[in-house]
Amino acid sequence: AQSVTQPDIHITVSEGASLELRCNYSYGATPYLFWYVQSPGQGLQLLLKYFSGDTLVQGIKGFEAEFKRSQSSFNLRKPSVHWSDAAEYFCAVVPNAGGTSYGKLTFGQGTILTVHP
Amino acid sequence: DAGITQSPRHKVTETGTPVTLRCHQTENHRYMYWYRQDPGHGLRLIHYSYGVKDTDKGEVSDGYSVSRSKTEDFLLTLESATSSQTSVYFCAIKGVTDTQYFGPGTRLTVL
């Protein structure tokens, strides 16, 4: 079945350490790819997105993500994590980009990030 | 901020009662969506709309209906609420760049 997978349910890092959150998808064509962040009790905020072109995309709050077609992955990275980055992170996909998908998003299960001082 | 509001923000209701959640947008977007968020499942699409009176089902539509009689409002109705519908409900709009922006959410508890 077509899906979006975030293999890590919970990640803990120390403040100042680097971070990589994994996302894999199982759609044949290149989808539109997104990362969202959700702080406790809040809505979802868009961090970054990939539609086409340069496979390394920059987002807000110092985050970046790299699209790797051969691995069907879109991993999120940050070189130095701040305590305020503690939140839940969601990878999301529009499977039939450019087609008649009506822009419907399919989400991964989410990764909860805990930051230790 | 994509000008999306949801009401109510919190609701507690009893099994078997009807519930309607409202999503309101101020920027005339054509596409609107309802998702539910549950631990371990991320967000899952309930229904979506691609215009006034144009709606379709998503992945988890059983037990839910929607209506869109004007561009700015997208209503989600639980005809007879069940405990399995306890969740956080998010409305979203799709902007011109094929990017979705989300409302603040409604926390619904069905006792």
Side-chain angles (χ1 to χ4, degrees), chain A residues 36 38 49 51 90 102-103, chain B residues 33 35 37 48 97 99-100:
Chain A
Y36 289 86
Q38 183 182 35
K49 60 188 177 185
F51 288 173
F90 292 96
Y102 297 97
Chain B
Y33 309 83
Y35 294 87
Q37 182 180 21
Y48 65 100
T97 57
T99 301
Q100 287 190 29

Side-chain angles (χ1 to χ4, degrees), chain B residues 49-71:
Chain B
S49 171
Y50 47 96
V52 173
K53 298 192 189 313
D54 292 322
T55 65
D56 205 349
K57 297 178 180 180
E59 177 188 356
V60 290
S61 60
D62 286 350
Y64 301 95
S65 62
V66 291
S67 66
R68 193 164 178 206
S69 58
K70 46 186 179 178
T71 300

Side-chain angles (χ1 to χ4, degrees), chain A residues 32 34 36 38 41-44 46 49 51 88 90 94 102-105 107-110, chain B residues 9 31 33 35 37 40-43 45 48 50 90 94 97-104:
Chain A
Y32 289 165
F34 305 83
Y36 289 86
Q38 183 182 35
Q42 303 298 311
L44 278 75
L46 178 70
K49 60 188 177 185
F51 288 173
E88 189 163 16
F90 292 96
V94 174
Y102 297 97
K104 294 178 288 181
L105 281 172
F107 282 83
Q109 302 92 324
Chain B
R9 294 293 313 280
Y31 292 87
Y33 309 83
Y35 294 87
Q37 182 180 21
H41 291 278
L43 279 77
L45 181 66
Y48 65 100
Y50 47 96
F90 286 99
K94 183 165 76 77
T97 57
D98 279 325
T99 301
Q100 287 190 29
Y101 298 92
F102 288 80

Side-chain angles (χ1 to χ4, degrees), chain A residues 71-89:
Chain A
Q71 299 177 19
S72 296
S73 69
F74 188 57
N75 294 350
L76 182 71
R77 301 194 295 247
K78 187 170 186 179
S80 179
V81 171
H82 187 264
W83 63 266
S84 61
D85 293 324
E88 189 163 16
Y89 293 79

Side-chain angles (χ1 to χ4, degrees), chain B residues 2 5 9 25 29-30 32 42 44 48 55-56 62 70-71 86 99 107 111:
Chain B
T5 57
R9 294 293 313 280
Q25 55 131 336
H29 294 288
R30 177 183 175 190
M32 299 184 74
R44 293 176 292 175
Y48 65 100
T55 65
D56 205 349
D62 286 350
K70 46 186 179 178
T71 300
T86 292
T99 301
R107 183 173 296 276
L111 302 176

